[in-house]
Amino acid sequence: MNEFRFLHAADLHLDSPMRGLEADPDAPAQLLRGASRAAFRNLVDAAIEEQVAFMVIAGDLYDGDWQDWGTGHFFTEQAAKLVDAGIPLVIAAGNHDAASVITRHLRLPDGVTLLPHDRCGRVVFEDRGVAIHGQSFANRSVSDNLTRNYPNAVPGLLNIGLLHTALTGRPGHDPYAPTTVETLAAKGYHYWALGHVHAREIVQQDPWIVFPGNLQGRQIRECGPKGASLVTVRGGHVIAVDHRPFDILRWCAVEVPLASERDLDGAMARVGQALSSSLEAAEGRPVAARVTLTGVTPLHGELIGEADRVRQGVIAEGRQHGADAVWIESVVVATASAADLEGLRDRPDVIGRFSKVLDELIGEMGPDLLGEYPERLRHRLPGIELPLKHPLRQGGPELLKRARELVLARLTGEV
Amino acid sequence: MRLTSFSLENYAHFAAVRLSLDPHPGRINLVVAPNGGGKTVLRQAFHDLLFGIRGQTKMAFQFGYPGMRLIAEGIDGNGVPFAIGRRKGIGNTLFDGEGNSLDPAILKQLIGEADGVLFERLFALDSELLRSGANAMLASGGDLAEALFAAGSGVAGLRRLRDQYEGSRDQLAPGHRVGSRPFYRELDAFHGAVAAVRAATIQPRDWEESSTKLTFARDRRDSLATRQARDQARIEQLERIKRVQPWLEQWCAAQQEVEHTSGAPRLPSDTERRWRDARQAVEIAEREHKAATDRLQSILEALAAERLDCGLLVEGERIDDIERARDQIASDHRDLPRRETEQRQASARLAELLSALGAGSADEITAIPPNGPQVATARELITQHGALAERLRSAEADAAKCESEIAAAKDALGQIGESDDAADLEARVEEAHADGDPVRRLIDLQAKLALDQARLVAALAKVPLWDRGVEALAAVVPPSRQGMNRAATAVEKARATQVDVEREVERLSSELSAAAERLAREREGKPVPDVAAIEAVRAHRDLGWSLIRRSKFEGKALESEIAAYAMPLGLATVFERAIGAADDLADRRDEESRRLAAIAEQELIIARLNKEIGTAGQGVVEARDACKDAAHRWAAVAGAFGFAEIPDPGDLREVIAAREAVLEARMQRDVAQQAVEAEAERQEAARDRLARLLPPEKCASLAEALSTAQQVIDRCAEARQERDRVRAEIETFRRLHRQAFDERNLAEQAFATWQSEWRECLSRLNRPPTETPAGVGKSIELIEEAHLERRKLADLDHRVAGMRQNIAEFEMRVADLVAAVTPDLIGQSAEAAAGELRKRLKDNRETEVRRDILLAQEMNARAKLGESVTEHECGKAVLEALQQEIGASAAEEIASRITLARRRSDAEAKLIEIEARLVEIGDGWPIEALEREIEGVPAENLDTELEQLRLDAERLSKDREDAARDEERLLAERQRIEAGDNAIDAEERRQAAIASIARISAEALLDHAAGCLLRQGIERLREAGDSDLVRRVGAAFARITGGAYAGIAADEDENGAPFLTAIEADRTTTKRIEQLSDGTRDQLFLALRLVMIEDYAEKAPALPFIADDLLQTFDDYGRTANALAALSDLSSHVQVIVLSHHRQLIDVVRALPVGTVNVCELAA
């Protein structure tokens, strides 16, 4: 029985930096800046070790605005290694590749096929009975449904469609090359190898429509195991699609519910437990974590009032697992006060009166309370893209609400 | 809620305690407990009752958690009784009067919204919190809003909190750039990383260019290497020919010599040496045979001369034994007389000792050994006897001395007599000194008065422009501070605006000049190369590259085109220069573009600056008009002082401030004056009281009266002290006398015991009963000496007997030997005969040794003679065999044949050597091939060609090294690009900086928002402050200070912010917070707190007010009573519980109306 396997990867974003990690003299810089390369090396080594028949990459080899030729050189080096092992590589360029100066100048080794951008191309591996159809992005923003150019399945072969798309839309991703599951299914292909969406997703199994996710998480929005899909074909049919992790650094969103802890030491102990669990789940990989403290706790005021101390405490908990095991991306205090800060305004003492005054001020003045300071900071940050939930992007209401909590917690003895 | 009782069970150190409290309005509950007796415990217990007992409470230290109970009974706001209890546990720990679980909602009805923090901050107050609140009030300058907030919330320093947030914000990210702050540090890191990314990025274009250069360098190096290898091969060939040629000639000559000697015999090469050796061996054998014969004859003659005495040799061992004993016998002969003398002396001394001890024989002494128990006991008793005698003597002497001392002290006591009683006088003096030294006090007060008067004069002198005296200054009604501030601010603002606008015009003009200068500089440029020139040089460069590519990589023959393009410098050089020229022109073009852009930018800047200068000039005119208007308004405000010239706002502020200082100084002077007068009056009354107890003539003044009184008091005190001292001495001597008497009795008892033991000891030593301890000591010494002498005598007897026996045995052994082997010596002394025997034995033994040596020599000589005969016969046989091998018998013929054989052998060896050398220097080629190679090369061109080739090789080697260096450099560059991750590293740093900036700015914004809320909130509180509240606080303050202050008022500072002032009893003078004493500020803060509690109680169910040792800072008796009265007023609104460890508070309470205070005493 004719059985073989192939690897389906996407969104390599080679040399794309880790985002959100602050400078840390103890962090192994080589590991951080080489993470995307190391993941790609893992992918190539696995392909050779597993003796796959071929490999397909559904777009975004590079970051669009990244121009360093060393990245392209690294890619060709690894691609050549793959080809030398007798494994052909088929690539459909994605939106980032179309914008990349590297792509335009890169001379790919023989055995690597970059599908055309002006029509749907086809690569046939007759010895395996496989036809791969696909079209690259011509420019950064493709709003057409590219599948219109894709031919129907070639009879008697295993047909694979290679496409960089967001389908009908995925949160956090631009809706490039839109199409629908029905359109894809109608082509009669056995496997749609998609790219662009960084979260792994098996959209459908008949036919198989698969996003493998990106190869290496680079920010907190890209949590969990990252890698590629290993597809097993037997008798001209896809019989299994397995996810293989190739990442070397795992991003984790660590939620730590707090309740009865009476002091910061207790809270930090909970943080330490949660980080241990995350490290365990990462199977020996180092972890970059965003620690979010939640729950109704008497420590709420102290947590928001002693932000730096809390952050240092969390970092120290991470350090207990080794010098290069855990990096803290950020510490988010999303707890609620155990005291009834909202009900304070009804209390007959001066703090109740002051609470009412603060509510009136926020209601009447709103963000004007903050004066010119936010604008001054904002003007100093051209070219810096802040996180969506940053107070300079969110505006005043949320910030004032948090400041009110901070002040009242201090006045009512929570700090 | 109001409590009627409060019980603690198994709580802290209380097993069970119950306080009965009075819930009635207008009544204070005073709980008096000693320090450490539980005040703090009670306060914590009340907290725990209402809000729960903490999981790890310190109050379980004595009884643990089981059985811990807090129970309170009382009435609610409607007068309905309740009972609540609290136990230690988890979940709902409340219970009711029957011990059943109590719904927490019931407690909530009693205490309303209050929580533990509110209780501690509003309803509990101790002296520490009171002082802390007062200090915060001082720190805020008496800010009204802050003071009310602090008193009502227990949170001191709203402004300080605001400053903390703003300070924290500025530490992180101040609004203005401060490079050292984290935000700006990270911002700099971000920009640095951006630049680093840009600098480290390798563009694909650069990569391709690098690849082309590398390929070119590699090809050039390969080509040079090929040429170099070819030339090297030709050089090696020519050098080989030069090496081989002379050796080939030698090879030919050697071949001819071999052919010429082919008829000579072939003999081994060592034939000549063997022939010579054989002849020498025969001659040597003949010489050795004759020498062996002579030697044998000589030995036989010597052997015949030696003779031996065998009898003497047989007795050799016995003679040796006698010789060894001869030294010992000589020593015995020498020592025997001395030992016999010592023996006689020892015997005489022993007899003498026995006689001294009265012993009949030595055996009697032997029964008493020196180390035996009898002697040891005697020695111990002798020692004890001395100590006992000294003890008895000392005790008797001490007793006598004490009796004498007692008698002397009694005499001294009689002489001192009894003293007068000065108690009344002491009371009067103490009364006069109650407030310190009265004289010093009066001097101090007078000095203070003088100082205050001087300060008043100085303060008046500091009033600018004023020359009309103190009272006239006090009579002036100054303008309101608010109005003056407004007018002054208007003037200052208008002037500042004018200065700002004028500076702006100046700044813009300066910028305009600078821009004009820059424009002029940019316009002084160089000519720009035109596009055609650039195109031409680029075409030249491209043609060069085309020629290189086609000729090097495509293999086309383009010699004529290359010559036309590159002569005479060569293609590579011309192409490099073409690249340089093209780049140079392009750079100049770029530079000009930048210059034109800069000119356009400067022109735009100048236009903008001209426009801005026009606008600013208009502003200057407007600002000057505004300045004049403000000056007019200021003149109207400043007229109240009647100065001839209108002062500036700053001067007028100084005048007003100086006037306030004058008024303050005047008040201080008046107070000091009153104090001096009051003190003088008090001192006169004190002098009168002393004069009644002392001689009136010694009481002219209070100081004299006090001095006289003190002298009297001192005298009485001295006499009393002396009497007490002597009585104490008598008691001491009596005690010592009793001790000495007891000691003497004890010593006598011990002496009786000793005497009994002494008698028994004498009996065991066989000594007379009357012998003294000293005599016995002497006898013991004689006994010891007798024992020594007896042992010495026995030793000498033994030695003398041994010597005599040794001498007799020696003489007998010598006589026996002489009789056996040397009868000729009979008659000589034993020692002489022994010496002769030893000499004869020695001579015989030497003869025996010589004889043995000669016999061995005889045997060797006979063996040697045999060997020489054999050697001679063998030599002759070898000589004959060699003659046969050479083929001749005559010596001359034999030499000739050996010479011919050697010549043939030498010729053949030389031929072999030449052939081996040719193989070595001819690179292993066969001789025939070498001959053919030489034939192909004319010898006359050899050196010329070789020299030319070497020069070429040197040049090629240099070119090749250059090419290799180029390649190496380009390769290193390529490897750097391939391996380098500088751009990635910089990008990571950029991302890290963004992350830090995001965090820091978020934290700074939160601090900023908190600071803004507090700033605005404080303003709102100020605006909401009502006069009724101020009036009520003032009334409470007046109540606590007993009318020393009439109340408080709210004034406004320069910014219009209200602040507290205290109104003095005259209702006109006010004092700022910083002018009040610490105690008065405490009282003001207490007044604020009491009013805030009243306010709370009006709006919601209130908790009892716990005053924990609150009044201990109220150093004045009257003010303490006043504070209690104020607390009594508060108790109309909430229950008041005062905890104190001062029992004197009970005395203060007695001054209050009956029923005001319910006193509970808590035992320690």
Side-chain angles (χ1 to χ4, degrees), chain B residues 560-578:
Chain B
S560 61
E561 288 180 53
I562 289 172
Y565 178 80
M567 282 302 283
L569 298 173
L571 181 56
T573 307
V574 173
F575 176 60
E576 281 178 11
R577 290 186 179 179

Side-chain angles (χ1 to χ4, degrees), chain A residues 165-178:
Chain A
T165 177
L167 287 178
T168 52
R170 288 292 185 276
H173 294 83
D174 294 322
Y176 294 143

Side-chain angles (χ1 to χ4, degrees), chain A residues 63-66 94-104 138-140:
Chain A
D63 262 6
D65 50 359
W66 186 246
N95 55 309
H96 280 279
D97 301 324
S100 170
V101 68
I102 301 172
T103 313
R104 289 200 296 277
N139 50 56
R140 182 192 294 268

Side-chain angles (χ1 to χ4, degrees), chain B residues 335-354:
Chain B
D335 292 344
L336 187 58
R338 181 167 56 85
R339 292 296 180 192
E340 284 171 346
T341 305
E342 286 176 1
Q343 189 182 28
R344 285 191 297 275
Q345 288 172 346
S347 178
R349 176 59 185 164
L350 179 61
E352 187 181 336
L353 288 170
L354 290 175

Side-chain angles (χ1 to χ4, degrees), chain B residues 10-16 36-39 41 59-63 1162-1164:
Chain B
N10 299 321
Y11 189 90
H13 57 282
F14 293 117
K39 296 190 307 301
V41 171
M59 300 303 169
F61 66 88
Q62 189 155 346
F63 301 106
L1162 195 63

Side-chain angles (χ1 to χ4, degrees), chain B residues 1015-1065:
Chain B
R1015 184 177 288 277
Q1016 296 289 338
I1018 292 168
E1019 287 301 319
R1020 285 280 171 107
L1021 281 182
R1022 280 186 190 133
E1023 290 166 9
D1026 63 59
S1027 57
D1028 179 56
L1029 198 63
V1030 173
R1031 183 190 55 71
R1032 286 163 56 208
V1033 174
F1037 184 49
R1039 178 89 152 129
I1040 293 170
T1041 58
Y1045 288 87
I1048 61 168
D1051 202 348
E1052 285 188 350
D1053 66 10
E1054 294 169 358
N1055 300 317
F1059 63 90
L1060 286 174
T1061 55
I1063 303 169
E1064 293 209 57

